[in-house]
Every structure is written in structure tokens, then in C-alpha cells.
Amino acid sequence: MDEPVSHWSLGIAGVLRDSEYAGEGNRTLIVPSASYEGEWFYWRGATLGYRLAKTDHFSVDAFIAARLDGIDADDFGAVELAERGIDRDLLEDRDHSADAGLSATWKGAAGEIELDARADITGTSEGYQIAVDYRYPFRIGRVTVKPGIGATMLSDDMANYYYGTLDEEVARGVVDYKPGRSTIPHIGVSVVVPFASQWLFVGNAQLRSLPDEIQDSPLVEQDADSVPLLFIGVSRRF
């Protein structure tokens, strides 16, 4: 049976992330999820996109996406920061933001490669990131499994905003630390399991490896060399 030209999906999703920030611990978020897949437009949770070009093996998309990497200063652990020489009361919040970008995907018998470039459009970090991912999807019965590997490069401004100390903090006496441009490798696997006609279970596990310049940040948990993330969602297509 051919797939419909467009469809909506509604469901619920949960995200669990072991935060790299000192003293924050696990981040857990359970939210309603909604998505729309059209021939040209799509909406996938926190991402709104438009396909500029597409063939059976190649596509180019333009998109706007939320960036949820921020943290309130009060969510840091005061003791953990003190061990790294930081007074939590002198810190500013790191805000969430939004990015605009382009992505290109090539698909073939050997798997798929995606190149993604996006930049902050809110003036929060005033930075950008470039990511490359390789994935090899295969099926076991009706289940689609997609292991992958990739890397994300954060620009100086973006890495310094989220993992360095800000100029206003340094002026208050916080140590001046700027990690500069940083590349974060990652591996992961996603699973899509259809069931009960129009229902889907989606799971994704990812492990990001923190480079030395981020591990050395006084805002990061001591001995935090990697960040695991787990996403689980159930949705129904209409």
C-alpha cells in the first residue's frame, strides 16, 4: 500500500538526558508530541521545515528548530560548582534559543549521509553549528532499526556561551574560560516499531563524547566525558 501524501501524528514522548552541567543531574521531560508530514512542508516536534528539493536519493531542506540546551543558573549544583572554583550566585542563565538552517541528505544502498548547518537566530549565543551523520537503516520484519555515527562542530560563540563563562560573569570575579570551537562526536541507534494499524513506537538512544575543552569547563561536572540521551515516544498517525 502506498504511503499517504501527508499525515498528522499525535502522541506522547519522553526524553531522559544525563546532563553534563555540574550538579544538574538528569533532565527528564515528558510532553505531548505532534507532527505533520506533507509533500513539501513538515513539522516534527520542535522543528518546522520545508523541502527545497527532493528525489528518491537526495533531498535539501530549510528549517527552523528550537535549541533546548539552556540551563537556569539555579539548576547548577552550588557544591559542585564550588569544587570547580565557581560561585553559583555570580552566574547568568544560559537561555534556550532557536536556529535556522539547511540540511542535505543522500540515500543509497550503503546507507544515508546527512549534512546539517544551523545558526542561532535569536541573538542568544550568536553562534552556529555544523553536523554530519552517517546512518545505516535496515529492517527486521516490520521493525526499522537505524544505527548511526556522526559529529557536531560548535562555533566559538556557541561553545563559549553554553560551556564557557560570560564576560559579565568574569567582571564579577568568575574565572575566564572559553572553550572555543569544539567538535562533539556521537553514536546512536533509533528503532521504529509499527503496531495496531496506525500506531508507532519510536525509540532513540545516543551517546555524545565530550572533547577535552568542554570537559575542562568549570561549568561541567567533573569526570563527565560523555552524555547519554534516551528518547521514547508513542504516536498515532491520522
Side-chain angles (χ1 to χ4, degrees), residues 139 141-144 191-202 237:
R139 300 189 66 169
R142 298 179 64 204
V143 178
T144 300
V191 178
V192 179
V193 184
F195 66 98
S197 182
Q198 297 298 313
W199 288 85
L200 289 176
F201 167 84
V202 179
R237 299 197 306 177

Side-chain angles (χ1 to χ4, degrees), residues 17-91:
R17 171 179 168 179
D18 186 9
S19 174
E20 64 270 40
Y21 285 121
E24 187 186 22
N26 292 330
R27 293 187 182 187
T28 303
L29 183 64
I30 299 177
V31 294
S33 64
S35 67
Y36 171 75
E37 292 287 340
E39 185 175 4
W40 297 102
F41 284 99
Y42 60 84
W43 171 36
R44 301 169 186 161
T47 301
L48 178 66
Y50 179 76
R51 295 182 177 92
L52 300 175
K54 66 173 184 175
T55 68
D56 289 342
H57 301 288
F58 177 73
S59 63
V60 179
D61 297 355
F63 62 86
I64 296 174
R67 178 176 292 274
L68 304 178
D69 293 336
I71 178 174
D72 291 341
D74 290 343
D75 289 336
F76 284 101
V79 173
E80 289 82 359
L81 282 180
E83 291 174 349
R84 309 214 68 175
I86 298 289
D87 182 346
R88 185 178 68 179
D89 293 337
L90 302 179
L91 294 183

Side-chain angles (χ1 to χ4, degrees), residues 94-237:
R94 296 325 191 253
D95 294 328
H96 300 315
S97 62
D99 298 333
L102 294 172
S103 66
T105 304
W106 295 263
K107 297 180 180 180
E112 60 187 49
I113 296 175
E114 180 178 9
L115 180 64
D116 176 307
R118 60 184 69 191
D120 174 31
I121 56 173
T122 63
T124 301
S125 72
E126 300 181 345
Y128 65 89
Q129 75 170 44
I130 298 173
V132 61
D133 283 275
Y134 168 76
R135 298 179 288 265
Y136 185 79
F138 62 91
R139 300 189 66 169
I140 303 175
R142 298 179 64 204
V143 178
T144 300
V145 181
K146 190 179 291 188
I149 188 170
T152 301
M153 188 277 289
L154 304 181
S155 71
D156 291 350
D157 288 337
M158 186 166 286
N160 292 345
Y161 179 78
Y162 288 107
Y163 297 108
T165 52
L166 307 179
D167 290 342
E168 54 265 46
E169 296 169 341
V170 174
R172 299 180 191 131
V174 175
V175 62
D176 187 3
Y177 185 81
K178 302 289 191 293
R181 183 177 300 177
S182 304
T183 299
I184 304 174
H186 56 263
I187 59 172
V189 61
S190 63
V191 178
V192 179
V193 184
F195 66 98
S197 182
Q198 297 298 313
W199 288 85
L200 289 176
F201 167 84
V202 179
N204 179 272
Q206 187 181 93
L207 183 67
R208 300 192 305 160
S209 178
L210 300 180
D212 290 343
E213 59 268 24
I214 290 180
Q215 292 185 47
D216 292 341
S217 168
L219 303 182
V220 170
E221 191 81 42
Q222 292 194 51
D223 302 322
D225 56 3
S226 61
V227 179
L229 182 146
L230 178 65
F231 171 91
I232 296 175
V234 177
S235 62
R236 188 186 189 281
R237 299 197 306 177

